[in-house]
Amino acid sequence: MLVSTFSALADPTRLAVVDRLSRGDATMGELAEPHRITAPAMTKHVGVLVEAGLVSRRRVGRTVVCSLRPEALTEVEQWLGDLTAYWNSTVDRLEELLRGDGDGH
């Protein structure tokens, strides 16, 4: 899941779409407009985000409305938290060793 999430977010346009959707739902046209790309191009970008589980689409009449699925970022948040905890403990241990508080030989 992390690989597909990061792969989807690696594209600047898709990252911008997720950022925009973090502020609320948007139509395909609203998502495409700031990037000056065609509707089919935006459909492909959103499709990648849907496949990664980051975005959902629904029809409202003839309009397609996109929504962010924040729960899809839970795994990323957990991974980053674990990585942060690891690095914090590593830095703490290094500080102990540099101060001479550790039992390093």
Side-chain angles (χ1 to χ4, degrees):
M1 180 72 162
L2 278 175
V3 172
S4 64
T5 298
F6 283 123
S7 178
L9 295 175
D11 180 89
T13 300
R14 292 192 291 268
L15 186 59
V17 166
V18 169
D19 182 56
R20 166 56 187 85
L21 291 175
S22 72
R23 295 186 299 277
D25 295 354
T27 66
M28 295 292 280
E30 291 168 337
L31 294 174
E33 192 273 324
H35 304 284
R36 297 184 178 170
I37 61 176
T38 64
M42 183 52 69
T43 298
K44 287 182 182 182
H45 281 297
V46 169
V48 170
L49 294 169
V50 169
E51 287 293 317
L54 295 165
V55 171
S56 64
R57 294 183 279 213
R58 69 183 184 286
R59 282 205 171 270
V60 177
R62 300 179 86 196
T63 304
V64 176
V65 178
C66 299
S67 303
L68 184 62
R69 297 186 63 242
E71 65 276 7
L73 295 173
T74 302
E75 188 179 9
V76 173
E77 183 179 27
Q78 179 64 48
W79 180 77
L80 288 172
D82 292 347
L83 194 60
T84 300
Y86 166 77
W87 282 109
N88 285 339
S89 69
T90 300
V91 169
D92 290 346
R93 179 73 179 132
L94 178 60
E95 286 175 348
E96 288 174 13
L97 289 171
L98 292 174
R99 283 194 312 264
D101 297 344
D103 54 67
H105 302 295

